[in-house]
Amino acid sequence: MVPCPHCGAENAPDARFCAECGKALPDTHAGSPRVVDVASSGAGASLQGEELQKQQKKAFTALIIVAVLTTLGAILIGFVVANVDQTDPQLSEMFQIGHVLTATYGIIAAIFWGLAIWSRRNPLPAAIIGLVLYGTLFLLGMIMNPAQAVNPCSWIIPLLIMAMLVSAIQAGLKYRRLLAGQPA
Amino acid sequence: MNVSSAESTIPDAPSGGNDPASEPAFAAQAKRMKFCDRCGASRSGDSGACAFCEARAVASTLPATQPADGAGIVASLALYGALLAISIVALAWSLLTERDIGLTGELWMTGVFTLLTLGFVLWHRADLVPLLRRRGSIRWYGMAIAMSFGTFLLASLFIKLLTLIGLEELRYSDSYLDELGAGWGWVILLLSIVAQPAVMEELAFRGVILGSLRKQLSLTEAAVVSSAMFAFLHLAVPSFPHLLILGLLLAFLTIKSGSIYPAMLLHACHNALVVLTEQLWYTGIDVGL
């Protein structure tokens, strides 16, 4: 029986969390990855680990691209809005929409910057959220701009980004299986 | 690189006193287990499978997460995609016909959403049954009601801030009351804006999606990803911040109570507050301020 360092309760030898207080037990199974195990299982496994880590960096690349593009979009719209003649009644509605659009692009850019930073530490969930958000916005964009949707060129970059995120997710899963000592 | 597997930023419940559990029989200890020793989720003291990792209370060598083949992630993306498709189709329809989908359209959307969610719930009933069976202690329900005032105020604050830069405040209840009148209008309104989203969105996001993601991600990661998906599905970028926070609180309630019902209550109260204040206190923002 293993005592919990937080509350002192006795736990089963292979428990990962204390059954009394719920805190993680100081065990190699719960918590940080067992990098030692991966390395000691042979050069092949550690090479595979490096390979998968490289693939996970795709998540960061894809997310940072989207973050930069969206930021540029926000700046561009903000600039246009700031220079619109506010006194012209016909343009005033555009002015209001422009503000909201800038805020929208701004929020989306902030989210992708956040995801990009998170992906350096933990690429798998960041890549999943990035893929979901990007896919959603892409679909919305296509519906709202059908003229652009039928142009195949406008699909290239989005599909590339989504492909990078999908492969990052797959690599992330394989990497975790490797760390858990399971067959990739 | 630090791959989090089992840490949780969700605050732990206060620890009880020392419980030495002197008898070696794990089954007896199981009955006193407040937390699952595989994944750390709250268990409200009864024996049997953990709501989240289905771990038995007996010592087992099975890891809490079973990263098999990404099936959990695929299932979550599938449900999200299906629900997104409903909104996309409705949006495309209204753009093509150049008019709003109207009350009938909204009710159709609600119906399809309900059927789709129930389909996925049936498919993943193994994950859902523990959450549905457990009611959880009453303090989670009290917490849900209390939290709903907080989330409602937060949402109102964010939206009011954005109306100051020109965002048009979305009003949910007018079309119902205008088209159906005060009597039936309120009934249908409460059913489709308060009750249905509370039940169905919880089943979808905290039930199916949280449960599926849990198979490949840690508890915290699954909570964050499911909350993000919850926020994005509403397709209102200005609402993302407060929807994300609401989603995290809903996930917290579900994980800590081991039951889906406290989260349903929070969601219902939040929506009810939005709808009631819309009608009782009509607010018009003078952007000239």
Side-chain angles (χ1 to χ4, degrees):
Chain A
M1 299 293 276
V2 174
C4 168
H6 305 283
C7 73
E10 294 289 330
N11 286 280
D14 65 343
R16 297 165 166 228
F17 293 86
C18 174
E20 184 62 34
C21 69
K23 292 193 162 70
L25 294 175
D27 174 317
T28 50
H29 296 281
S32 36
R34 298 168 301 178
V35 180
V36 173
D37 285 30
V38 173
S40 66
S41 65
S46 62
L47 255 172
Q48 198 180 10
E50 271 174 40
E51 195 45 54
L52 291 172
Q53 270 185 300
K54 249 198 290 193
Q55 286 205 43
Q56 284 187 100
K57 290 226 166 69
K58 279 190 197 164
F60 174 72
T61 312
L63 293 166
I64 210 95
I65 290 174
V66 180
V68 167
L69 285 176
T70 326
T71 309
L72 289 175
I75 293 174
L76 196 68
I77 297 177
F79 185 73
V80 167
V81 166
N83 286 308
V84 155
D85 180 7
Q86 298 176 43
T87 54
D88 185 338
Q90 277 182 332
L91 291 175
S92 71
E93 198 193 308
M94 256 181 65
F95 184 70
Q96 300 228 315
I97 295 175
H99 264 111
V100 175
L101 215 54
T102 314
T104 302
Y105 268 82
I107 292 176
I108 295 171
I111 295 175
F112 277 104
W113 281 110
L115 287 173
I117 293 167
W118 190 24
S119 75
R120 307 224 46 176
R121 256 187 57 119
N122 201 357
L124 183 56
I128 297 172
I129 296 178
L131 179 67
V132 170
L133 180 56
Y134 190 75
T136 306
L137 295 171
F138 172 63
L139 272 173
L140 262 177
M142 290 291 118
I143 296 278
M144 317 264 302
N145 283 329
Q148 207 182 26
V150 294
N151 174 13
C153 292
S154 66
W155 289 70
I156 296 177
I157 294 182
L159 285 176
L160 204 67
I161 289 174
M162 289 196 274
M164 285 173 83
L165 290 171
V166 168
S167 76
I169 293 171
Q170 287 172 323
L173 284 171
K174 284 210 185 105
Y175 188 67
R176 290 197 179 191
R177 276 203 290 277
L178 201 66
L179 290 176
Q182 292 176 355
Chain B
M1 168 171 3
N2 183 31
V3 176
S4 73
S5 56
E7 80 217 346
S8 173
T9 58
I10 295 173
D12 301 309
S15 63
N18 259 346
D19 187 3
S22 49
E23 70 260 64
F26 291 137
Q29 188 186 23
K31 287 194 166 57
R32 291 198 295 276
M33 262 177 146
K34 295 192 181 121
F35 293 89
C36 173
D37 70 353
R38 297 284 101 200
C39 70
S42 169
R43 287 192 51 206
S44 64
D46 46 29
S47 62
C50 166
F52 284 92
C53 70
E54 314 248 85
R56 296 275 146 189
V58 210
S60 141
T61 53
L62 215 59
T65 49
Q66 297 169 52
D69 51 1
I73 294 176
V74 170
S76 306
L77 292 176
L79 177 52
Y80 179 85
L83 297 176
L84 181 66
I86 302 173
S87 301
I88 295 282
V89 164
L91 192 62
W93 180 279
S94 73
L95 285 172
L96 271 171
T97 57
E98 285 180 7
R99 58 188 164 98
D100 191 38
I101 58 169
L103 187 60
T104 327
E106 280 183 39
L107 290 174
W108 269 108
M109 276 177 66
T110 306
V112 178
F113 190 110
T114 305
L115 286 172
L116 256 168
T117 305
L118 289 175
F120 270 82
V121 164
L122 254 150
W123 180 19
H124 289 268
R125 60 188 179 280
D127 295 330
L128 266 299
V129 163
L131 284 177
L132 290 168
R133 252 206 232 128
R134 186 163 305 148
R135 271 178 310 188
S137 88
I138 196 124
R139 69 182 153 140
W140 300 114
Y141 293 91
M143 207 182 283
I145 297 177
M147 277 176 173
S148 71
F149 287 94
T151 57
F152 162 69
L153 284 170
L154 195 70
S156 305
L157 187 73
F158 272 118
I159 297 298
K160 289 295 187 277
L161 282 173
L162 286 162
T163 52
L164 291 175
I165 62 161
L167 178 77
E168 229 178 82
E169 194 170 347
L170 187 69
R171 292 179 60 88
Y172 298 95
S173 48
D174 288 338
S175 57
Y176 288 81
L177 297 173
D178 291 341
E179 284 193 46
L180 298 171
W184 274 111
W186 273 106
V187 172
I188 304 290
L189 181 70
L190 289 173
L191 280 175
S192 62
I193 297 193
V194 175
Q196 189 268 358
V199 172
M200 289 300 146
E201 287 178 13
E202 290 318 303
L203 286 175
F205 288 95
R206 261 58 61 179
V208 176
I209 291 181
L210 185 62
S212 300
L213 288 175
R214 184 71 190 90
K215 296 192 170 107
Q216 274 94 38
L217 302 174
S218 77
L219 216 51
T220 318
E221 290 167 353
V224 172
V225 175
S226 68
S227 304
M229 290 167 95
F230 170 72
F232 300 159
L233 190 72
H234 285 78
L235 295 182
V237 177
S239 300
F240 281 177
H242 73 255
L243 284 174
L244 183 67
I245 294 172
L246 178 62
L248 287 170
L249 290 174
L250 290 164
F252 167 78
L253 273 178
T254 309
I255 291 170
K256 284 296 173 182
S257 68
S259 163
I260 196 102
Y261 303 112
M264 284 184 183
L265 183 62
L266 168 56
H267 201 153
C269 289
H270 174 97
N271 286 10
L273 283 168
V274 170
V275 159
L276 288 171
T277 52
E278 233 179 50
Q279 286 302 317
L280 296 178
W281 306 327
Y282 178 82
T283 50
I285 291 287
D286 181 0
V287 192
L289 276 171

